[in-house]
Amino acid sequence: MSSPDFLQLPDLASRALAGSVMYANDELFAERENLVDPEPAAHDTSDFGHKGKVYDGWETRRRREPGHDFAIVRLGVPGVVRGVVIDTAWFTGNYPPFASIDGICVEGYPNAAQLQEAEWEPILDKVELQGDTANSFPVQSEKRWTHVRLNIFPDGGVARLRIHGEPRPDPAFLRGTIDLAALENGGDVVDCSNRFYSSPRNILGLGRARHMGEGWENARRRDDGNDHVVVRLVGAGMIEHVEIDTSYFVGNAPGWARLSGTADEASLSDESAWVTLVPRVELLPDCRHRFRVDADRPLRYVRLDVYPDGGIARLRVHGTLV
């Protein structure tokens, strides 16, 4: 069975994008913070604590009264939700049989108590869950959300909550010189030649990579070609300077790189429409490379070519929206 298309979109709730579980009405067996861990849930059959089996997820006690349990998540980046994954990995006799998800869009930084009193709207109606399964559900809504609430009926354990969608950051913070490629600002990868070891979307992530696994690494090429990634910027912008970071890539950094740009989607396949921003330049391993760019027109897409292959930790494209 093929995976849903929405799984290719960023996880807006992920800790990697600064998502946070603000509140859970109960977390006796396992902490709520595990819900937004970007890594898959782990499991050790021998790991027991004084409260019982230790699970890498969020697990509530067995309810002996009416009601249901819930957790409130602040999205790392607000956005339009296209699909959700309620992952019950490793929860077999203790997963919730049903769940639903609500959403809200609020300004500022309301606390957990204020959010509990707010008026939530349904994003995903009550659905049936399977145990030890990445339960995936598409979402049909064009609304922008800042927080989601996971409701489980009546209780149980959920390993991970993934909220896949399109980032819609507050435009008030997109003024002046910004990173036009950043995932948190609404940039995204639209094409990539090879994703063998890790996702190219990593190069648009928050902060600096902490290790090689947090960058984009392709397979070793055995032909005469080269690898590339194409990024759709937040919007059309005047690019001022860029950063190509090979941090932690020592024996597997690209030998050279080139960055080019184009103005619209229609010209992505037209090589003559691309303008050179950084001509082919030699790269050093484990190094942040910064280059001034004198773009004479607004651009919406950039293409990073690496020669012949190799890993990139981060790509920053600094400029101003037009």
Side-chain angles (χ1 to χ4, degrees):
M1 181 181 296
S2 60
S3 299
D5 290 341
F6 68 74
L7 294 181
Q8 300 303 315
L9 296 172
D11 176 8
L12 304 177
S14 173
R15 173 68 70 179
L17 277 179
S20 174
V21 186
M22 298 181 62
Y23 176 82
N25 71 305
D26 185 282
E27 50 181 333
L28 183 114
F29 286 117
E31 295 81 3
R32 65 181 190 264
E33 288 84 2
N34 292 329
L35 280 172
V36 296
D37 189 324
E39 300 299 324
H43 189 66
D44 181 351
T45 56
S46 65
D47 193 6
F48 280 82
H50 71 281
K51 293 181 180 179
K53 179 72 187 73
V54 175
Y55 279 92
D56 183 7
W58 167 52
E59 186 184 4
T60 64
R61 73 191 77 201
R62 302 188 188 206
R63 295 187 70 90
R64 303 306 186 199
E65 66 283 332
H68 70 276
D69 294 322
F70 66 94
I72 295 175
V73 176
R74 182 183 67 244
L75 300 180
V77 180
V80 176
V81 178
R82 299 303 184 192
V84 302
V85 178
I86 305 172
D87 189 354
T88 56
W90 308 110
F91 289 99
T92 52
N94 51 351
Y95 67 93
F98 303 96
S100 69
I101 295 178
D102 302 318
I104 194 170
C105 183
V106 292
E107 298 296 326
Y109 302 93
N111 59 37
Q114 292 170 322
L115 288 170
Q116 290 181 71
E117 299 299 323
E119 294 185 9
W120 294 77
E121 299 180 53
I123 293 179
L124 178 70
D125 292 332
K126 191 173 182 180
V127 292
E128 185 175 357
L129 300 182
Q130 300 297 320
D132 195 21
T133 300
N135 299 273
S136 302
F137 305 98
V139 171
Q140 304 297 328
S141 172
E142 295 300 322
K143 292 188 176 182
R144 175 180 182 267
W145 309 105
T146 59
H147 300 72
V148 297
R149 181 174 64 190
L150 171 64
N151 308 296
I152 57 174
F153 302 93
D155 53 45
V158 175
R160 298 289 188 266
L161 175 65
R162 308 300 191 198
I163 306 294
H164 293 279
E166 299 164 6
R168 293 288 189 275
D170 187 342
F173 296 98
L174 299 181
R175 300 174 182 173
T177 302
I178 63 170
D179 183 357
L180 298 169
L183 200 61
E184 65 172 330
N185 291 336
D188 202 7
V189 170
V190 296
D191 183 43
C192 180
S193 60
N194 187 283
R195 311 164 183 252
F196 187 85
Y197 286 109
S198 50
S199 171
R201 188 174 280 130
N202 290 344
I203 67 177
L204 310 181
L206 289 177
R208 297 196 63 201
R210 296 172 298 174
H211 50 73
M212 192 170 62
E214 291 189 350
W216 164 51
E217 185 182 2
N218 42 60
R220 300 189 187 204
R221 293 193 73 95
R222 304 305 188 192
D223 56 27
D224 296 330
N226 73 282
D227 287 313
H228 71 272
V229 60
V230 177
V231 176
R232 183 185 63 241
L233 304 179
V234 180
M238 298 297 294
I239 300 173
E240 299 177 358
H241 65 279
V242 302
E243 179 180 309
I244 302 173
D245 185 359
T246 60
S247 291
Y248 300 102
F249 289 96
V250 180
N252 52 354
W256 302 265
R258 176 177 181 265
L259 189 71
S260 52
T262 192
D264 58 76
E265 184 177 5
S267 60
L268 290 180
S269 58
D270 181 5
E271 292 188 11
S272 65
W274 290 84
V275 296
T276 298
L277 303 176
V278 178
R280 180 165 168 159
V281 61
E282 186 174 2
L283 297 184
L284 294 176
D286 196 23
C287 178
R288 297 172 70 188
H289 308 77
R290 302 178 71 191
F291 305 98
R292 292 288 304 175
V293 172
D294 294 319
D296 61 356
R297 72 195 74 174
L299 301 171
R300 184 68 198 280
Y301 295 85
V302 295
R303 171 175 167 138
L304 176 65
D305 284 272
V306 295
Y307 302 92
D309 53 40
I312 297 291
R314 293 289 187 266
L315 173 67
R316 305 301 188 197
V317 181
H318 298 282
T320 56
L321 288 170
V322 298

